[in-house]
Amino acid sequence: MENENKKTRVLVIGSEAAYQEMIGKSLDEFEVLSATSEDEGLTLARKERPDAIVLGYLEPRGTAYGLHRKLRSGWITKNTPLLIVEMGGDENSDKRWTRQEALEMDADDYITISADDSASISLLKETIGLTEKITVRMDERASTLKGKLLEPNDFCITWEQIPGRGAFEIAHDEVLDNVAQAAAGGKVDAISVTDNPGGNPALSTEMLCVQIRKAGMEPLVHLACRDKNRSEIESLLCGMAAEGIKNILVLTGDYSGSDAFEGLAKPVFDLDPPNVLRLVEKMNDGLEHKAGRKTIKLAATDLYAGACVSPFKKLESELMAQYAKLKKKIEAGAKFVIPQLGYDARKFHEILTWLKVNNYNVPVMMNIYVLPFGTGRFMNGNGIPGCIVTDKQVAELAEEKKAADKGKSAMLLKAAKMYALGKGMGMAGAHIAGHGITYEQVEFIIDKGEELAANWESLVTEFDYPQEDGFYLFEKDEKTGLNTEVYAERMSKPKAPLMYKFTRLAHHLIFEEKSPVFKVLKPVLGWVDNSTLPKHIMDYCEHMAKVSMFNCMNCGDCALFDTAYVCPMSQCPKSQRNGPCGGSYEGWCEVYPNEKKCIWVQAYDRLKPYHEEDNIAAYTVPPCNWQLWQTSSWLNFYMGRDHSAKRLGIKPPEPKETPQK
């Protein structure tokens, strides 16, 4: 991206020309901006957004101290590394900060330059190491998570915390106690914070992450799409970027829970993860928006966003739809991947193999949930959508529970083995979670996992938890117990329903530009679009027909083309236009288990008889344009207004020229 390739810029603020020259020459590796007054320095710091600021003496005495306070409290500059560089020596004593000012200094570093240093730039560099100090301070402000995940020799550790409900509850203090222990222990790289887990209200993850950052730990914010429309998501991303919170895990989110005020909360799901990731990328490049007739480009952010995927799906249709959506997430800008909860070694390895085969260089973290018997049994019954625990594993947990410690040591050892397995497979880190686990237990998992990592291959058989007749994406490697790079044969043979056969025929006749029917209808619908009564009649007739066939909600920006004529807006409770959420179970919708099939399972099964099943991964569908709400989607398509028309290049009919008299 553009902001990743720019040269590092340093703003040097100081009244004296000699100071500016000396510091400027010592920073010849950087692009140097200069300011000689408080107003000029503050203006450049805000408008140019330098990567670091060097502050020297300003006339009159005390001005530099006042400017440093403004820089530290400013909305734009508060997270910019600030270094105070003063001239030493008795002749400069009246140009240094007072004792009280020094005690109240809020800078990343304080450096005194001896008068002798000015004799040689090379000596100056060697003496104060200004270039190195700026680089160190910038690195400290950068995303530790990003650096760890991208460094091949590092293994990144995140520890998940679950905020409770309410404003002043003990649960919040317990989270911050865990954060303090993690900061002191030094083995955890980031604290991951869930966003209203279970779809029920909890303390704002964004607000909690601000406190986590103040406590000296880097946060990883879970951003669920359930409760927020696109404006709210953009607002939250802007706020987090301004607070120096860079790491985002974008996920669909659990469906709304019933524990909200006065019952079930209305689900939003205005954007899905691929489109949130697209928004993040645009913000990182400098989001453009219209203000009147002008196009304004906002200052670029530096967010580092990841995504989830659930490889633990039983059916071919479920699994292929998961990878179709992961493809869209990565192409939209996902920089790392954390899988959903499961314990099958082949399924974890499947993600790595899929990424390799498709030439995606994206780091993956092992999801380690410390699993007690009760929770395992609950997950085994699909009690938590998307979390897969097999009968075999539940039986093992039941045996381990008979021990004197109720299976606690066994579940911690299992978690450590998962750590070793992930590291051995080539994952970039471990995401550690579990209800009520302590920092000491996290340290045990890390230390024991490191000890076991040398012989990780021997652990594969301990994580052999296939689902009965479950589909694997790749052929099994009998030698390792994991996967080869050869795709498995897709054995499912679904039959397209009669309704889909009818809609395919109608689609070819009415909505394909080369069709004679399309060519006849286009000018007619152009006339209808500019009428009043005919337009209302057509809108009514279209809506009635589509309600009976597709349960149409008349959104006006129809996505039936994209999902094999299964409406994602009315038939998917989460309105997923680009692929399934992670909550389906054996093909059933998370919200309506054993009642409604996941729409993406239906779409895959409808397309496969025509050898078009891979079409579900072909392109990213934009979010619904609510400006078209309650209007005719047929007219919007023919007039080039909806997303399908724009994708296919459909233009409105040319206006007829009035003959000259």
Side-chain angles (χ1 to χ4, degrees):
M1 289 188 309
E2 187 179 305
N3 59 325
E4 290 179 346
N5 297 322
K6 69 178 183 179
K7 192 173 182 180
T8 300
R9 297 195 300 170
V10 179
L11 173 60
V12 179
I13 307 173
S15 296
E16 298 174 307
Y19 176 87
Q20 286 280 356
E21 182 181 6
M22 181 171 58
I23 299 298
K25 287 181 179 179
S26 73
L27 299 176
D28 55 5
E29 297 174 23
F30 302 140
E31 179 185 342
V32 177
L33 308 173
S34 298
T36 57
S37 68
E38 178 182 15
D39 288 345
E40 186 183 15
L42 194 58
T43 299
L44 283 175
R46 288 171 173 170
K47 287 188 175 181
E48 299 297 329
R49 296 183 67 229
D51 300 292
I53 300 172
V54 174
L55 178 60
Y57 176 73
L58 286 171
E59 291 284 358
R61 188 179 186 186
T63 302
Y65 170 77
L67 176 57
H68 121 281
R69 299 299 295 174
K70 290 178 182 178
L71 292 170
R72 270 295 176 253
S73 60
W75 183 260
I76 299 171
T77 58
K78 61 187 173 184
N79 293 310
T80 306
L82 174 64
L83 290 83
I84 309 299
V85 181
E86 286 193 328
M87 296 292 291
D90 294 339
E91 68 277 14
N92 293 301
S93 59
D94 61 339
K95 296 180 180 180
R96 293 201 294 271
W97 289 16
T98 66
R99 178 181 177 84
Q100 186 62 36
E101 289 173 344
L103 290 171
E104 296 176 3
M105 181 188 297
D106 182 13
D108 292 274
D109 216 330
Y110 172 81
I111 305 165
T112 303
I113 303 174
S114 169
D116 295 337
D117 293 335
S118 61
S120 166
I121 295 300
S122 60
L123 179 61
L124 174 65
K125 287 186 175 184
E126 183 180 340
T127 304
I128 65 172
L130 187 56
T131 299
E132 291 75 14
K133 289 179 184 291
I134 288 174
T135 302
V136 167
R137 297 309 177 193
M138 287 177 59
D139 287 345
E140 289 174 351
R141 302 275 176 145
S143 167
T144 304
L145 183 76
K146 178 179 179 180
K148 284 273 190 176
L149 286 175
L150 296 180
E151 173 52 54
N153 296 321
D154 282 332
F155 198 65
C156 182
I157 308 298
T158 60
W159 182 18
E160 185 174 280
Q161 301 294 313
I162 303 176
R165 191 170 181 177
F168 309 106
E169 305 301 319
I170 293 175
H172 309 329
D173 275 335
E174 290 174 348
V175 168
L176 292 178
D177 286 344
N178 287 341
V179 172
Q181 290 181 59
K187 293 190 176 183
V188 173
D189 299 301
I191 297 293
S192 173
V193 184
T194 58
D195 182 2
N196 289 1
N200 295 308
L203 182 69
S204 164
T205 179
E206 302 85 11
M207 295 297 292
L208 184 56
C209 283
V210 171
Q211 299 303 314
I212 288 170
R213 190 168 182 273
K214 288 179 180 178
M217 285 298 298
E218 186 167 4
L220 170 59
V221 181
H222 292 205
L223 182 62
C225 300
R226 170 195 53 249
D227 311 308
K228 313 164 186 74
N229 69 10
R230 66 196 72 181
S231 296
E232 173 69 0
I233 289 173
E234 183 182 329
S235 297
L236 288 170
L237 290 170
C238 288
M240 287 186 281
E243 287 293 335
I245 298 170
K246 301 175 184 292
N247 308 307
I248 316 292
L249 181 65
V250 181
L251 59 162
T252 307
D254 300 320
Y255 192 72
S256 298
S258 58
D259 195 28
F261 172 70
E262 293 286 5
L264 185 74
K266 181 180 180 180
V268 180
F269 297 109
D270 184 33
L271 295 186
D272 56 16
N275 283 305
V276 174
L277 290 161
R278 287 179 58 227
L279 171 60
V280 170
E281 287 292 281
K282 288 182 179 294
M283 292 177 65
N284 283 345
D285 285 335
L287 185 66
E288 293 184 349
H289 72 102
K290 293 285 186 182
R293 295 183 179 180
K294 292 183 178 180
T295 298
I296 296 176
K297 186 172 184 177
L298 302 175
T301 57
D302 188 23
L303 298 168
Y304 185 64
C308 300
V309 66
S310 181
F312 305 100
K313 296 302 180 186
K314 180 175 179 177
L315 304 183
E316 173 191 320
S317 51
E318 278 185 296
L319 187 66
M320 296 310 299
Q322 283 291 320
Y323 281 107
K325 192 173 186 180
L326 181 59
K327 175 179 180 287
K328 295 180 184 182
K329 291 174 182 177
I330 292 172
E331 291 175 353
K335 299 297 189 292
F336 63 94
V337 173
I338 300 179
Q340 180 60 282
L341 193 149
Y343 295 88
D344 186 345
R346 270 192 74 189
K347 284 294 182 179
F348 281 117
H349 188 252
E350 185 178 88
I351 303 172
L352 297 173
T353 309
W354 180 86
L355 290 168
K356 181 181 179 182
V357 167
N358 288 279
N359 297 312
Y360 291 129
N361 187 22
V362 180
V364 180
M365 300 186 75
M366 171 65 83
N367 188 351
I368 302 172
Y369 188 91
V370 181
L371 186 67
F373 171 70
T375 306
R377 187 169 58 179
F378 187 58
M379 291 178 178
N380 174 253
N382 195 32
I384 303 178
C387 300
I388 301 300
V389 176
T390 63
D391 294 343
K392 176 185 174 182
Q393 190 173 0
V394 171
E396 291 176 3
L397 290 169
E399 285 299 312
E400 291 164 359
K401 190 175 182 293
K402 296 176 182 178
D405 66 351
K406 304 297 183 183
K408 183 181 291 187
S409 59
M411 70 181 186
L412 289 173
L413 181 59
K414 196 84 170 180
K417 289 177 178 179
M418 289 186 74
Y419 178 105
L421 197 64
K423 188 168 187 180
M425 284 181 185
M427 290 187 174
H431 178 80
I432 301 174
H435 181 71
I437 65 171
T438 65
Y439 179 71
E440 289 75 16
Q441 291 172 330
V442 171
E443 277 200 330
F444 170 83
I445 293 168
I446 296 169
D447 293 341
K448 190 66 177 177
E450 288 289 337
E451 176 188 325
L452 296 169
N455 298 308
W456 68 273
E457 296 98 331
S458 65
L459 303 174
V460 172
T461 55
E462 295 189 37
F463 294 90
D464 181 30
Y465 296 120
Q467 298 176 73
E468 186 178 356
D469 298 323
F471 175 73
Y472 287 88
L473 188 57
F474 297 98
E475 295 287 350
K476 186 175 183 179
D477 185 334
E478 297 297 341
K479 183 178 179 181
T480 65
L482 298 174
N483 302 288
T484 68
E485 294 180 12
V486 178
Y487 280 110
E489 186 178 353
R490 302 181 197 175
M491 300 294 289
S492 70
K493 296 180 180 179
K495 292 183 179 180
L498 183 61
M499 174 60 76
Y500 180 57
K501 293 178 180 179
F502 169 75
T503 54
R504 278 182 71 91
L505 177 61
H507 180 92
H508 292 317
L509 287 174
I510 302 172
F511 297 110
E512 290 189 357
E513 264 192 301
K514 295 180 181 179
S515 164
V517 177
F518 183 96
K519 293 174 181 177
V520 170
L521 278 176
K522 190 164 187 175
V524 175
L525 293 182
W527 171 80
V528 171
D529 192 54
N530 290 305
S531 65
T532 302
L533 182 60
K535 186 175 182 179
H536 285 310
I537 293 172
M538 179 179 169
D539 189 18
Y540 177 80
C541 293
E542 175 196 337
H543 182 55
M544 289 298 99
K546 287 169 67 176
V547 164
S548 62
M549 291 190 292
F550 312 115
N551 196 24
C552 176
M553 57 187 287
N554 212 17
C555 70
D557 191 10
C558 188
L560 287 171
F561 292 3
D562 311 305
T563 51
Y565 281 83
V566 189
C567 178
M569 304 302 290
S570 64
Q571 296 183 50
C572 173
K574 297 183 180 181
S575 304
Q576 295 300 289
R577 292 160 72 97
N578 278 295
C581 69
S584 69
Y585 183 69
E586 298 186 358
W588 297 103
C589 171
E590 167 191 326
V591 183
Y592 302 105
N594 301 311
E595 183 179 342
K596 292 184 179 181
K597 286 285 185 179
C598 168
I599 68 155
W600 287 94
V601 168
Q602 294 182 61
Y604 182 91
D605 286 346
R606 287 182 172 199
L607 291 166
K608 190 169 185 185
Y610 300 94
H611 307 289
E612 296 174 358
E613 64 270 28
D614 290 337
N615 287 358
I616 62 174
Y619 54 87
T620 297
V621 182
C624 183
N625 180 1
W626 293 104
Q627 195 170 14
L628 302 178
W629 173 250
Q630 298 293 293
T631 61
S632 167
S633 65
W634 293 350
L635 288 178
N636 292 334
F637 177 76
Y638 271 84
M639 298 303 109
R641 290 190 289 257
D642 75 354
H643 76 275
S644 292
K646 291 173 182 176
R647 176 175 63 84
L648 297 170
I650 304 294
K651 304 293 183 184
E654 296 289 336
K656 290 184 178 180
E657 292 185 11
T658 305
Q660 297 281 335
K661 288 186 178 180

